[in-house]
Amino acid sequence: ETGVTQSPTHLIKTRGQQVTLRCSSQSGHNTVSWYQQALGQGPQFIFQYYREEENGRGNFPPRFSGLQFPNYSSELNVNALELDDSALYLCASSFSGRARTGELFFGEGSRLTVL
Amino acid sequence: SQQGEEDPQALSIQEGENATMNCSYKTSINNLQWYRQNSGRGLVHLILIRSNEREKHSGRLRVTLDTSKKSSSLLITASRAADTASYFCATVSTGANSKLTFGKGITLSVRP
């Protein structure tokens, strides 16, 4: 158990809809990162939030957006869902901020299916 | 895009044997990490090795890093059925400190 919790664990949406995924970071951690993991692939970096600001972004379109709250929890929002957005979405917390990324503590993920 | 390339893609061994997994990467790194994932669940951090380190141990795990060859290996000694999982190497590149770049992973099966 890492202390990182994600919700919901599973959800099904249809193309064009919007989804919000939530993450509570481990106590004492101030940085949250989001990753997308397609079936049979390694996780792909979406973005990272440090002290409520985006601190790095991967190769994902603007319809992927996020927030970090003062308690360091975070949301990932995806608009205009596409079939290829079907994946496991992983949240990871750490206490590294703008320093070199060290060990990440992952939640169990939210599995999104887009029909 | 994937930075790391793990080798082999799948490995099946008998309980008690050693498992060796390799990873190659493309850019200069700050550190390299290995993670484990059980059947589509969250990833668990195993070990981190910094770019100025060559070898590190943690319990039954031994990781090596060769920055001249841009490669790393993870050795699991005296494997157990519970070690059955997917293993990923991930790198933090210099100049891109906010993210880990993962490979596609290695599926390890340990037969009882």
Side-chain angles (χ1 to χ4, degrees):
Chain A
E1 291 286 332
T2 63
V4 179
T5 58
Q6 292 187 242
S7 63
T9 55
H10 295 82
L11 69 166
I12 299 173
K13 294 284 188 177
T14 56
R15 282 171 52 186
Q17 285 189 312
Q18 178 265 344
V19 68
T20 297
L21 308 178
R22 295 178 175 83
C23 172
S24 293
S25 58
Q26 182 166 313
S27 177
H29 287 178
N30 59 3
T31 302
V32 173
S33 304
W34 286 92
Y35 288 79
Q36 180 197 65
Q37 186 179 23
L39 203 60
Q41 301 294 315
Q44 297 272 328
F45 176 73
I46 303 175
F47 41 56
Q48 182 187 84
Y49 278 85
Y50 170 68
R51 292 187 177 178
E52 302 178 56
E53 291 187 359
E54 190 178 286
N55 179 43
R57 187 180 180 93
N59 190 26
F60 281 82
R63 60 189 185 83
F64 285 78
S65 63
L67 283 173
Q68 187 180 31
F69 300 100
N71 66 354
Y72 303 126
S73 66
S74 177
E75 285 183 356
L76 164 64
N77 299 289
V78 187
N79 294 323
L81 284 167
E82 301 176 359
L83 296 179
D84 285 349
D85 295 334
S86 295
L88 181 67
Y89 288 85
L90 295 161
C91 168
S93 75
S94 60
F95 190 73
S96 54
R98 292 192 173 87
R100 295 167 186 170
T101 294
E103 174 184 356
L104 296 186
F105 295 80
F106 282 86
E108 293 295 327
S110 293
R111 183 162 297 282
L112 171 65
T113 302
V114 182
L115 302 176
Chain B
S1 61
Q2 312 276 171
Q3 151 93 303
E5 295 270 346
E6 291 100 339
D7 168 58
Q9 290 187 338
L11 181 61
S12 180
I13 59 173
Q14 202 73 32
E15 205 166 27
E17 294 180 337
N18 295 341
T20 299
M21 291 170 268
N22 302 301
C23 167
S24 60
Y25 58 90
K26 298 173 185 173
T27 65
S28 296
I29 62 170
N30 281 326
N31 67 66
L32 183 144
Q33 304 177 33
W34 285 89
Y35 286 81
R36 165 196 167 125
Q37 184 178 39
N38 284 356
S39 184
R41 301 187 64 185
L43 282 81
V44 175
H45 180 267
L46 295 176
I47 197 164
L48 180 155
I49 186 165
R50 302 190 191 285
S51 59
N52 61 352
E53 298 175 313
R54 292 297 167 256
E55 187 172 313
K56 209 162 179 182
H57 295 82
S58 176
R60 294 185 295 115
L61 305 180
R62 171 179 169 253
V63 65
T64 61
L65 179 65
D66 187 335
T67 53
S68 67
K69 295 181 179 178
K70 291 188 168 58
S71 67
S72 173
S73 67
L74 174 69
L75 169 67
I76 303 175
T77 60
S79 63
R80 305 166 182 168
D83 293 329
T84 295
S86 293
Y87 291 81
F88 294 89
C89 74
T91 55
V92 177
S93 298
T94 54
N97 292 335
S98 63
K99 69 173 183 178
L100 282 176
T101 303
F102 286 84
K104 292 185 178 180
I106 298 169
T107 302
L108 173 66
S109 298
V110 182
R111 303 185 300 274

